[in-house]
Amino acid sequence: MVLLTNRIVSLDLTVLLLRPPSMDEILATLTAPRPDLKPIPGTIPLTPLAAILPPLTYYLGLVLLPPFRTQTRRQLIPIIRSLLALVAGFLFFQLPLKYHVPFSIGLTYQLALVGLYGGCRVLDAFFISPYLFNHIPRRVKYHQEPRSETSGVWRNRALSNSYFSLHFLQPRKAAITETATTEEGLPKSWKDRASWALELELAMRGAGFTWTSADVRHTKKTWTPTAWDRVHSILLHVLPVLGASLAIIRYIHVRNLQIEGGLSLSFDDLSFFNQILLTAALGGFLMTGFSLAHSMFAILLAPLKPHPLSYFPPLYTIRIWDLTSIRSFWSYGWHRLFSRLFLVYGVWPGEWIERKVTGKSANEPADIGKVLGGFVSSAFVHSFAAYTVVGGRVRDALGEAEFFASCGVAVVVEEIVKRSILWFRQRHNQDVSKGTTRGSEMWYDGIVGRVWWISVLLYNGRCFARGWVKAGLVKEMAGA
């Protein structure tokens, strides 16, 4: 949406005033191929049929996923279902390898995310969960109870408005405690199957299921924003920060990256200050962009309440200035829309590898494998998306991988240092009266933690920004 708006703004304003363009001219401008788009060699423009078939085939397979009662259907349906799943997975995975969006670098990048995420989701739904864990997703019902906080007018007001963290949403309702119960049984009738399949296919955006709840829910302590809360958030918080981020991106591109002939300099030609500033602006753009899309869909589907399709839990749950570590940022300060993907294809394999190497039992925690596995899977997903917009050159697509891999290492180092410091403080009995972990905390810990996580993300985030400059994403965001 933002990228298309930039294309409109970039039209010659003088021409617009003298002769307003027709709808055909506007569409032609928006869909004109970008000469700086560098797709994978051999890919072709995306067709409507190629875009529709993967989710449609996936949906038809989901309709058949819950078990049937009759013996005849039990024998025949699994074969049809597996064939549909294989076709859907193949169609999803081939999307970024066969097609590109000729008029947008950003949409081509997102096409890769959709294809990879969709294909992995199909394998999880039809093969990994049913056959390895004997699990078919069940609906989850959420129960909300008012939650009282510490006394004090300003404290209560701050907590009731603390759904911030650059989601900028300030609910008017009181804070709540949200619990979940799993529905018994699976859909039987065709009507229930059709509804269940649609909800599960759209589960990434927040419908409650036993295997997707972690994708969107960070904690039981949350809020219940209304449609007006979301409108208020968009108008007074999201759009100003989104606009400021785009303005900074455009300023840096026009003043420091763009040269004559439509060519651009590289990210490394920027001063260190401008590299950090561009990285911060891209981070703000991504956070507010996710927030804007999430809130807009929540507003559009709000009239469907109490249907699960209208359920949009908070995207972020901690204000950004309350974060004190890299781990807390990725756990609570960022969205979890890809949580299931990273869990199945990163966290679980990482834990398995650590247990095999160290000899740990299944009941022992494998935190290092968990953290590194999650970040390695994230590194692959984002680097693959970059690969589709840098002409298929692996080296130019490694910026995202370096960023996420470094974050994983930083989380592990952070946890080791944190535990070592707490052990040292307790051993030297700094808090004689308590002698506990809480008592071992110092007044400056929060300050050091904030400086640490912000510095790591901005410094290492330059790898991410460098890749976006190479791909032309920054140029497109700047409206150039």
Side-chain angles (χ1 to χ4, degrees), residues 49-70:
L49 183 62
I52 294 172
L53 277 181
L56 178 60
T57 311
Y58 177 35
Y59 173 75
L60 294 176
L62 287 177
V63 172
L64 305 178
L65 185 57
F68 286 84
R69 294 179 179 178
T70 64

Side-chain angles (χ1 to χ4, degrees), residues 13-25:
L13 294 180
T14 304
V15 174
L16 292 177
L17 292 174
L18 296 177
R19 184 183 65 82
S22 65
M23 183 58 65
D24 290 339
E25 291 174 328

Side-chain angles (χ1 to χ4, degrees), residues 215-377:
D215 291 3
V216 291
R217 296 177 72 248
H218 299 77
T219 173
K220 293 180 179 180
K221 294 183 178 182
T222 183
W223 294 266
T224 54
T226 64
W228 169 247
D229 290 327
R230 297 182 187 277
V231 172
H232 177 270
S233 167
I234 290 173
L235 295 178
L236 296 186
H237 301 289
V238 173
L239 290 181
V241 175
L242 183 63
S245 299
L246 286 172
I248 294 173
I249 293 170
R250 179 174 176 80
Y251 174 82
I252 292 178
H253 176 78
V254 173
R255 295 292 299 271
N256 299 279
L257 290 174
Q258 185 172 277
I259 57 178
E260 295 183 2
L263 301 177
S264 298
L265 298 175
S266 70
F267 179 82
D268 294 316
D269 292 321
L270 295 173
S271 66
F272 181 77
F273 174 79
N274 281 332
Q275 290 181 7
I276 296 295
L277 184 61
L278 178 59
T279 302
L282 289 173
F285 168 82
L286 289 173
M287 294 193 80
T288 50
F290 278 116
S291 175
L292 178 62
H294 186 269
S295 293
M296 288 182 65
F297 275 103
I299 293 170
L300 291 174
L301 296 178
L304 298 179
K305 286 184 178 179
H307 194 279
L309 289 177
S310 67
Y311 177 70
F312 281 78
L315 194 62
Y316 311 113
T317 52
I318 290 185
R319 294 172 295 184
I320 198 148
W321 53 76
D322 286 336
L323 300 170
T324 57
S325 66
I326 300 175
R327 187 164 196 160
S328 65
F329 172 82
W330 289 115
S331 298
Y332 303 104
W334 194 249
H335 71 82
R336 296 168 64 88
L337 295 177
F338 294 103
S339 176
R340 177 72 187 185
L341 172 64
F342 300 151
L343 174 69
V344 175
Y345 299 96
V347 172
W348 288 345
E351 290 178 328
W352 181 84
I353 292 174
E354 180 180 347
R355 291 191 174 102
K356 284 294 182 181
V357 172
T358 61
K360 290 183 176 180
S361 66
N363 297 326
E364 293 180 282
D367 287 340
I368 295 178
K370 172 183 177 180
V371 170
L372 295 182
F375 278 103
V376 167
S377 61

